[in-house]
Amino acid sequence: MSAKARAVTVLLTPFFALFAVVMVVPIGYAVWLSLFTEKQSGLGFGGTHTVFSGLGNYAAALGDHAFRDGFLVLLGYCALYIPLLLAGALTLALLLDSALARARRFFQLALFLPHAVPGIIAALIWVYLYTPTLSPVVAAMESGGLGFDFLSPSGALPSVVNIALWEWLGYNMVIFYAALQAVDRSVIEAATVDGAGAWRVATGVKLPLIRSSLVMVALFTVIGSLQLFTEPLILNQGSASAVTSSWTPNMYAYTAAFARNDYGLAAASSVLLALVAALLSFAVTRLSGRSSRPGRRLPDAARPPLAHPKGRP
């Protein structure tokens, strides 16, 4: 083995060891656990014993309407949250990157600060703001004739989306802004000289050049959306909240494990959710790979202007 190969092995071994401990082993244990269930002997006085159930836990999870309804909630959440997050973060990043922006550092910090607040603390703050008998916001809305129940069946999903946007909008804005700052300014100047306006420069030059950042943020947002847990779990503690203990697949698995002590069902539902996340991640990366394949032409506004012939202005 060459010295270079030995160096690579030494540097990569800690990563793969840690990856095996924190990822491979827990996933393998969850798959193993999902194949067993607890049974009580006799009339329930003989204790419980573990029996092999095969795919029984998976069938039980898929056959439970509460688990299936959780995916419908996630579908509605993704339909609202992902477009709003991407559009909002991208718009803010483009505004900060424009020549008209002032006090960029201040607005970057102000928009990023909510992400520094732990998710559970943020959810508690918003529960206070959503509770009708406590919230000054709800009281002000009611005094103006704009009554709205944030914890009702129709208001719970937008309320959770609002919390997530408040937490993650500034974080993704910073990613987009960093990508925009890396764009070659000469390309933007060439488009401007060609007569492209601010809107054309933003949509025809900047966006295509930060496609990789858009794909990365979209991928991470999809994966994070499927892991929705903290915000609805806190909202579930509200006295009049429409968020149930199995509102999302993650909450379903949590309730099965720690409320019903059915660890096999919890593991099976977690594995099913992981499979859905893997399939969606593969779909996003595959679609993004097709849209950014080599050989694509640079937008017209992004191409440098042709030099004028001699003697012409």
Side-chain angles (χ1 to χ4, degrees), residues 126-206:
W126 282 103
V127 167
Y128 165 73
L129 295 176
Y130 288 155
T131 304
T133 57
L134 300 174
S135 172
V137 176
V138 174
M141 291 175 62
E142 290 178 347
S143 64
L146 299 175
F148 181 77
D149 189 355
F150 292 97
L151 302 178
S152 64
S154 60
L157 183 59
S159 299
V160 174
V161 170
N162 177 63
I163 298 174
L165 285 173
W166 185 81
E167 290 182 82
W168 291 97
L169 189 66
Y171 175 84
N172 290 287
M173 179 273 299
V174 170
I175 295 177
F176 289 146
Y177 179 71
L180 288 170
Q181 289 292 292
V183 172
D184 189 354
R185 296 291 122 176
S186 63
V187 177
I188 299 175
E189 292 171 1
T192 304
V193 171
D194 273 351
W199 174 255
R200 177 59 176 161
V201 170
T203 58
V205 179
K206 293 182 178 180

Side-chain angles (χ1 to χ4, degrees), residues 22-271:
V22 302
M23 288 292 294
V24 177
V25 173
I27 291 175
Y29 180 68
V31 173
W32 173 262
L33 196 62
S34 67
L35 302 177
F36 295 88
T37 188
E38 299 289 333
K39 293 290 185 180
Q40 289 186 336
S41 59
L43 297 176
F45 299 103
T48 61
H49 58 283
T50 303
V51 297
F52 180 78
S53 62
L55 300 178
N57 287 319
Y58 294 93
L62 293 174
D64 193 341
H65 70 88
F67 183 69
R68 299 195 305 270
D69 290 347
F71 282 99
L72 295 178
V73 171
L74 283 184
L75 181 62
Y77 175 81
C78 291
L80 283 175
Y81 173 63
I82 295 177
L84 289 174
L85 178 73
L86 295 179
L90 192 55
T91 301
L92 290 173
L94 288 170
L95 288 175
L96 288 177
D97 187 62
S98 67
L100 300 176
R102 296 291 184 271
R104 289 186 177 90
R105 298 295 182 185
F106 169 77
F107 286 108
Q108 285 182 62
L109 179 61
L111 292 168
F112 183 78
L113 273 179
H115 180 71
V117 179
I120 190 170
I121 302 300
L124 288 172
I125 294 172
W126 282 103
V127 167
Y128 165 73
L129 295 176
Y130 288 155
T131 304
T133 57
L134 300 174
S135 172
V137 176
V138 174
M141 291 175 62
E142 290 178 347
S143 64
L146 299 175
F148 181 77
D149 189 355
F150 292 97
L151 302 178
S152 64
S154 60
L157 183 59
S159 299
V160 174
V161 170
N162 177 63
I163 298 174
L165 285 173
W166 185 81
E167 290 182 82
W168 291 97
L169 189 66
Y171 175 84
N172 290 287
M173 179 273 299
V174 170
I175 295 177
F176 289 146
Y177 179 71
L180 288 170
Q181 289 292 292
V183 172
D184 189 354
R185 296 291 122 176
S186 63
V187 177
I188 299 175
E189 292 171 1
T192 304
V193 171
D194 273 351
W199 174 255
R200 177 59 176 161
V201 170
T203 58
V205 179
K206 293 182 178 180
L207 292 187
L209 293 177
I210 63 168
R211 188 190 304 273
S212 59
S213 296
L214 286 168
V215 172
M216 181 191 69
V217 170
L219 178 61
F220 288 166
T221 303
V222 168
I223 296 174
S225 298
L226 294 177
Q227 298 175 2
L228 181 63
F229 178 73
T230 303
E231 294 84 359
L233 181 67
I234 299 300
L235 289 181
N236 175 247
Q237 309 303 318
S239 58
S241 176
V243 179
T244 63
S245 59
S246 57
W247 201 61
T248 66
N250 263 339
M251 294 179 67
Y252 179 90
Y254 178 84
T255 302
F258 300 107
R260 292 185 283 168
N261 295 323
D262 194 342
Y263 298 105
L265 179 62
S269 57
S270 300
V271 171

